[in-house]
């Protein structure tokens, strides 16, 4: 099934009718299907599968149309059925069967200005519902501040944000949280996110369709581990990197921080370990 988002602007705001229809094909993506499409390498897909067996927090970034929602869907599908997923979106785009948890969609105010349920409201509500992971389809504003509360609630989160690089994505989510207008200053928000975000996955796409292709190529360009910092800022270490669209997505040889690696290894089935997955010796996804 498909859905679409219509955005229209009429005079006098615009000089003429201006409308954009963004069509979403609600496909049941999986990490193996993204490997077949060339978006991921087998080792990177195995690594993301391993991460989804834990409660670690993930930020997915990229420009519009880069495949962020598709990757988030595939990662949600890789979560164990025992994990409670609470998924919040302004407009429903994700289509993943959830055994334990549910979907929540924001509601605009009525014509008389009442009844609004914002994305921030939804995140605040689901924090009280004992989730293992909060999923936010797209973070653009004050709902990011509520994710800082997820740290105190002891649950992980996964969300997408518009950004041009993995490092900039971290700044983007901090700026979004500051839009909440709370008393917490930027250094405090940075400190919270630097200690709570474990991985950033950055995607990109071709600017134009390639000859002989059915459309744009959408690929993961980098998977980055956020590592403990000595100051109120972000430090990171790339785990997988792709030089350019169409080039291989290679493991850099780095591992996540020791504590994070131990969390992943404890969550894996007997006989699996993160080193074997990163080296491509096994493909559990």
């Amino acid at each position: 099934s498909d859905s679409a988002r219509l955005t229209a602007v009429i005079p006098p705001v615009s000089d003429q009718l201006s409308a954009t229809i963004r069509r979403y094909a609600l496909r049941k993506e999986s990490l193996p299907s993204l490997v077949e499409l060339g978006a991921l390498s087998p080792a990177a897909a195995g690594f993301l599968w391993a991460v989804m067996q834990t409660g670690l927090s993930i930020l997915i970034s990229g420009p519009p149309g880069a495949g962020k929602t598709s990757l988030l869907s595939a990662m949600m599908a890789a979560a164990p059925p025992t994990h409670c997923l609470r998924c919040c979106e302004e407009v429903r785009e994700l289509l993943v069967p959830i055994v334990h948890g549910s979907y929540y969609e924001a509601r605009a105010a009525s014509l008389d200005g009442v009844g609004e349920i914002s994305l921030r409201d939804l995140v605040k509500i689901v924090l009280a519902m004992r989730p293992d992971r909060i999923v936010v389809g797209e973070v653009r504003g004050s709902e990011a501040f509520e994710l800082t509360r997820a740290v105190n609630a002891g649950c992980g989160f996964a969300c997408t944000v518009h950004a041009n690089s993995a490092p900039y994505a971290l700044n983007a989510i901090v700026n979004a949280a500051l839009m909440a207008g709370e008393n917490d200053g930027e250094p405090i928000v940075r400190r919270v996110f630097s200690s709570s975000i474990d991985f950033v996955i950055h995607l990109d796409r071709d600017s134009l369709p390639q000859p002989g292709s059915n459309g744009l190529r959408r690929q993961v360009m980098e998977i980055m581990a956020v590592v403990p910092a000595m100051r109120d800022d972000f430090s990171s270490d790339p785990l997988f990197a792709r030089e350019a669209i169409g080039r291989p997505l290679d493991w850099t040889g780095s591992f996540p921080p020791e504590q994070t690696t131990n969390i992943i290894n404890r969550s894996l089935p007997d006989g699996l370990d993160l080193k074997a997955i990163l080296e491509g010796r096994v493909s559990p996804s």
Side-chain angles (χ1 to χ4, degrees):
S1 60
D2 296 341
S3 67
R5 179 189 295 179
L6 170 65
T7 304
V9 184
I10 63 174
V13 176
S14 63
D15 60 352
Q16 60 183 350
L17 172 63
S18 176
T20 301
I21 298 176
R22 185 173 178 185
R23 179 174 172 270
Y24 304 102
L26 299 179
R27 296 182 296 269
K28 294 182 180 179
E29 299 286 5
S30 66
L31 292 173
S33 73
L34 294 181
V35 172
E36 292 177 7
L37 292 171
L40 283 170
S41 66
F47 171 73
L48 296 182
W49 175 88
V51 169
M52 290 304 295
Q53 309 313 299
T54 72
L56 297 171
S57 295
I58 305 140
L59 181 61
I60 300 174
S61 68
K68 299 185 296 296
T69 301
S70 295
L71 178 60
L72 182 55
S73 295
M75 294 181 67
M76 288 175 62
T82 54
H83 281 200
C84 178
L85 303 180
R86 305 289 183 185
C87 182
C88 306
E89 295 180 271
E90 276 195 347
V91 178
R92 178 74 182 272
E93 298 178 38
L94 296 166
L95 184 69
V96 180
I98 295 179
V99 176
H100 186 19
S102 190
Y103 286 93
Y104 308 86
E105 189 171 355
R107 185 177 68 190
S110 62
L111 293 177
D112 55 0
V114 299
E116 178 186 13
I117 301 176
S118 68
L119 190 56
R120 182 180 182 180
D121 293 333
L122 292 179
V123 176
K124 189 182 301 185
I125 289 167
V126 301
L127 270 170
M129 302 175 73
R130 301 180 64 183
D132 291 303
R133 190 187 302 276
I134 297 174
V135 179
V136 183
E138 182 180 336
V139 170
R140 291 186 292 180
S142 60
E143 62 274 4
F145 182 80
E146 299 305 323
L147 292 177
T148 66
R149 303 182 192 274
V151 181
N152 296 328
C155 63
F157 60 83
C159 60
T160 76
V161 65
H162 286 161
N164 293 324
S165 69
Y168 184 74
L170 295 167
N171 292 325
I173 196 169
V174 169
N175 292 337
L178 293 174
M179 292 173 63
E182 303 289 341
N183 292 328
D184 295 331
E186 181 176 347
I188 295 176
V189 174
R190 281 184 173 273
R191 189 183 309 125
V192 171
F193 277 129
S194 68
S195 63
S196 60
I197 297 174
D198 298 290
F199 301 103
V200 182
I201 309 161
H202 184 70
L203 298 97
D204 205 351
R205 62 179 178 84
D206 291 314
S207 57
L208 294 171
Q210 298 300 298
S213 172
N214 293 327
L216 300 174
R217 290 180 296 182
R218 297 170 173 84
Q219 297 183 329
V220 171
M221 304 302 293
E222 183 177 7
I223 300 175
M224 183 177 81
V226 180
V227 299
M230 298 299 294
R231 58 190 188 281
D232 297 336
D233 205 349
F234 296 104
S235 293
S236 59
D237 189 14
L239 304 179
F240 289 86
R242 191 191 305 267
E243 291 183 2
I245 291 179
R247 300 294 297 274
L249 179 64
D250 295 323
W251 177 43
T252 64
S254 294
F255 288 86
E258 182 178 2
Q259 181 178 358
T260 306
T261 297
N262 290 338
I263 290 172
I264 294 174
N265 280 332
R266 287 197 299 267
S267 301
L268 295 177
D270 292 341
L272 278 181
D273 64 80
L274 186 58
K275 186 172 187 293
I277 293 172
L278 288 172
E279 292 176 346
R281 291 188 278 116
V282 293
S283 298
S285 62

